[in-house]
Amino acid sequence: MATELVSTVLQVLAQTLQIYSLVLIVRVLLSWFPNLDWGNPVLSTVSSITDPYLNAFRGLIPPLGGLDLSAILAFIALSLMQQLLMSASFAFAGGFGVYG
């Protein structure tokens, strides 16, 4: 019973990261349009949700020629975290033989 609960929580966390990835994609795509009004409540919310995460990676990779490559590293880190959570979820569900 407890392992099922842990497995479910890990799956919910992985799904939450997947939703966050989609919001992050929207944020990156919106950054291509410099004339957007970031005072708009929807855009401001997207920005306030994603910018702290992106800023952590902007400190690691400076922009090259005006191109911000830190989002690539941010997506890789998010993807790895999702994979780890899903693998742990399968392990707690008793699916050790699924991957190995």
Side-chain angles (χ1 to χ4, degrees):
M1 176 75 174
T3 58
E4 291 175 12
L5 178 63
V6 171
S7 177
T8 302
V9 168
L10 291 172
Q11 287 176 5
V12 167
L13 288 173
Q15 291 298 320
T16 302
L17 290 181
Q18 187 165 3
I19 293 168
Y20 189 76
S21 293
L22 293 174
V23 175
L24 201 58
I25 289 170
V26 168
R27 172 64 172 104
V28 169
L29 291 176
L30 288 174
S31 72
W32 294 352
F33 301 98
N35 295 330
L36 288 177
D37 176 21
W38 288 99
N40 178 318
V42 173
L43 297 179
S44 176
T45 301
V46 168
S47 178
S48 67
I49 290 171
T50 57
D51 280 355
Y53 179 69
L54 288 172
N55 287 340
F57 294 96
R58 286 181 182 136
L60 297 173
I61 302 176
L64 300 173
L67 190 62
D68 185 10
L69 299 176
S70 61
I72 295 171
L73 186 58
F75 280 113
I76 291 171
L78 206 54
S79 177
L80 287 174
M81 184 57 89
Q82 282 178 266
Q83 290 175 6
L84 286 171
L85 287 171
M86 288 307 292
S87 295
S89 168
F90 286 126
F92 274 102
F96 288 102
V98 173
Y99 291 110

